[in-house]
Amino acid sequence: MRLAQNPADLAKLVASGDMRRLVRALARYDAVQLGAQLDNLEPRAQDVVMQHLPVERRAAALAGMRYEVAAEIIGRLAPEEAAGLLDDLESDDAADILGRIDEAKLRQILARFDAADAHAIEELLAYPEHSAGGIMSPSFFSVHQDVTIAEATRLIQTADELPQHVQYLYVVDEHDRLVGVIGLRDLVLSKPDQPIHSVMATELVTVTADTDQEKVAEVASRYDLVAIPVVDEQRRLLGVVTIDDIVDVLREEATEDILRMAGAGQMMVDTRTFGPSFRARLPWLGAAAGGGLLVAISLQGFETALRSVPALALFMPVVAGMGGNVGTQSSTIVVRGIAVGYVEHTRIGRLVLREVALGASLGMVYGIVIALLAPLLGTTGSDPFGLGLVITLGMMGSMIIAAAVGTSAPLILNRLNIDPAIATGPFVTTSVDILGLLFYFWLATVVLNIVG
């Protein structure tokens, strides 16, 4: 497979106006590579590239793009052209794109669809965006439980149209309720005259339409599935979440967690524009600024300690910084552990104790090292041993607090059904700064016998 060129090359070709060279360059991209390149081009360049792609390649390129960017392109097209392009996509992919454009344009586009296709897309759009129903494909292949292997095989071979991703054959009863599933490999290896109900798997892993997409991905990962059936209350088959959608969910959820933990919002905004980035970061940084003010307010009672031992101020950044790093490490481990199912409720106490023990051990090691280096800064004052003890114990205390807060906060938020990823933003940082520095200065007043 030939690797794609840098997207800057396409941008230069568009800017140069040499469309002949652009067409030749586009021929060297497959659909996935082309979609990835289009994701990173300016809107005008995207439109030019799409116009110079062969008509039969446009839908595949659109399917290879991020849904948010694909929706922007669809939004700039005439309704008739947009409908023709989306009609070549799987209905779940079309719904994912259409769900991101404004209502008026959506109605105009759906009016150009065949009635049955428009109804299928509208049904998908009716489900919550991040649910199994919102990401499932309504296309699947099912047979009655009384057919033989030979009959099931013939039905597949003579079908007018098969779903794009066919990994399993779903078996239903006379009421269309899901009763079993058989993989295509098992179908091929079974004897033709066997009834399908004798070889199908009856221990089924299913989800409902309102199951959160993150839970769907977790189930697929745990059971090593490439597709999960979605059923209603009567166990009737509604659709299938396939492996391509599962991978998209895993990527989307991981990105969301990382952005939230960094305090940069919860979605990957368009990096080409200033406004969305500004709006996404403003509230989180505002919370961090408020947290900084709370730290300043909480330390107002220790002016005497700073006047008596000015060297204490020199080590405030390292005490707060090391505590913040430990808090972030602990909370990141817990957040990802919860997300992928590694954190079991029966082992929460052990996890918290382990992180606190790590914080204490690391704090002792770094506290001793920094205390030993303090004389090199000429900051020992009249009680070098006391200052070294304050630095060592203060570092230990700050990192113990950070580990406890960083581990406990995501667990508590998860128990309250709040996304635990937000715990590693300003909340953990501010809590660790306030509690760690309060402990540090309180310790200084006790060890160095500072009277306020």
Side-chain angles (χ1 to χ4, degrees), residues 140-156 168-174 176-182 187 195-197 200 237:
F140 53 86
F141 201 90
S142 62
V143 295
H144 193 271
Q145 61 182 345
D146 292 333
V147 303
T148 64
I149 294 295
E151 290 170 334
T153 304
R154 185 168 61 253
L155 287 171
I156 295 174
Y168 303 108
L169 193 62
Y170 298 98
V171 185
V172 297
D173 62 13
E174 60 274 12
D176 288 330
R177 291 176 301 205
L178 183 64
V179 295
V181 63
I182 180 171
L187 185 73
I196 201 165
H197 63 74
M200 69 183 185
L237 196 56

Side-chain angles (χ1 to χ4, degrees), residues 239-252:
V240 178
V241 179
T242 53
I243 186 64
D244 57 324
D245 294 310
I246 292 169
V247 171
D248 287 341
V249 169
L250 291 172
R251 181 175 56 188
E252 179 182 328

Side-chain angles (χ1 to χ4, degrees), residues 6 34 93 121 125 127 157 170 195-196 261 280 291 295 335 340 360 385 392 394-395 408 422 425 437 442-443:
N6 190 302
L34 187 56
D93 290 330
I121 292 175
L125 290 173
Y127 292 109
Q157 293 172 338
Y170 298 98
I196 201 165
M261 287 188 290
V295 174
V335 168
V340 299
F385 177 79
T392 301
M395 186 78 71
S408 302
I422 64 175
L437 289 176
W442 170 82
L443 188 67

Side-chain angles (χ1 to χ4, degrees), residues 35-53:
Q37 305 309 308
L38 282 165
D39 275 340
N40 297 293
L41 293 177
E42 296 290 336
R44 177 185 169 275
Q46 290 172 344
D47 294 341
V48 172
V49 169
M50 291 295 287
Q51 289 167 7
H52 286 82
L53 270 177

Side-chain angles (χ1 to χ4, degrees), residues 20-225:
R20 186 174 299 177
R21 287 183 59 201
L22 175 64
V23 170
R24 288 200 300 268
L26 293 177
R28 294 194 289 269
Y29 290 91
D30 62 32
V32 174
Q33 293 170 334
L34 187 56
Q37 305 309 308
L38 282 165
D39 275 340
N40 297 293
L41 293 177
E42 296 290 336
R44 177 185 169 275
Q46 290 172 344
D47 294 341
V48 172
V49 169
M50 291 295 287
Q51 289 167 7
H52 286 82
L53 270 177
V55 174
E56 64 274 11
R57 296 192 62 197
R58 293 176 185 175
L62 197 71
M65 300 176 65
R66 299 201 317 268
Y67 293 133
E68 295 83 4
V69 183
E72 293 177 4
I73 292 178
I74 289 297
R76 295 193 295 268
L77 297 176
E80 191 74 35
E81 186 180 0
L85 193 54
L86 292 169
D87 193 41
D88 291 332
L89 298 180
E90 291 290 312
S91 55
D92 58 325
D93 290 330
D96 284 330
I97 294 172
L98 288 172
R100 290 166 169 80
I101 68 174
D102 65 84
E103 187 69 21
K105 189 64 176 285
L106 171 63
R107 292 297 151 203
Q108 293 175 0
I109 295 173
L110 287 178
R112 272 72 176 178
F113 271 85
D114 175 84
D117 292 338
H119 179 68
I121 292 175
E122 286 178 326
E123 282 192 332
L124 292 176
L125 290 173
Y127 292 109
E129 181 182 357
H130 298 295
S131 67
I135 61 173
M136 73 179 182
S137 169
S139 301
F140 53 86
F141 201 90
S142 62
V143 295
H144 193 271
Q145 61 182 345
D146 292 333
V147 303
T148 64
I149 294 295
E151 290 170 334
T153 304
R154 185 168 61 253
L155 287 171
I156 295 174
Q157 293 172 338
T158 58
D160 293 333
E161 185 178 359
L162 285 175
Q164 183 176 2
H165 300 283
V166 181
Q167 291 86 10
Y168 303 108
L169 193 62
Y170 298 98
V171 185
V172 297
D173 62 13
E174 60 274 12
H175 301 292
D176 288 330
R177 291 176 301 205
L178 183 64
V179 295
V181 63
I182 180 171
L184 293 185
R185 179 179 182 274
D186 293 329
L187 185 73
V188 172
L189 294 178
S190 300
K191 295 179 179 179
D193 58 345
Q194 283 184 289
I196 201 165
H197 63 74
S198 68
V199 294
M200 69 183 185
T202 56
E203 294 183 2
L204 303 175
V205 178
T206 63
V207 295
T208 58
D210 59 354
T211 303
D212 185 84
Q213 64 175 17
E214 191 169 9
K215 181 65 177 178
V216 176
E218 178 188 336
V219 170
S221 177
R222 281 181 174 270
Y223 288 91
D224 293 327
L225 300 175

Side-chain angles (χ1 to χ4, degrees), residues 259 262-266 269 274-291 426:
L259 291 174
Q266 60 180 340
V269 297
F274 176 84
S277 297
F278 181 84
R279 289 191 295 271
R281 299 185 190 187
L282 182 64
W284 295 92
L285 291 178

Side-chain angles (χ1 to χ4, degrees), residues 309-316 318-319 365-381 383-392 395 440:
V309 187
L312 290 172
L314 296 177
F315 299 98
M316 285 174 58
V318 70
V319 171
V365 170
Y366 283 102
I368 291 174
V369 170
I370 293 172
L372 292 175
L373 294 176
L376 300 179
L377 302 176
T379 58
T380 54
D383 189 358
F385 177 79
L387 180 60
L389 188 62
V390 168
I391 293 171
T392 301
M395 186 78 71
Y440 171 67

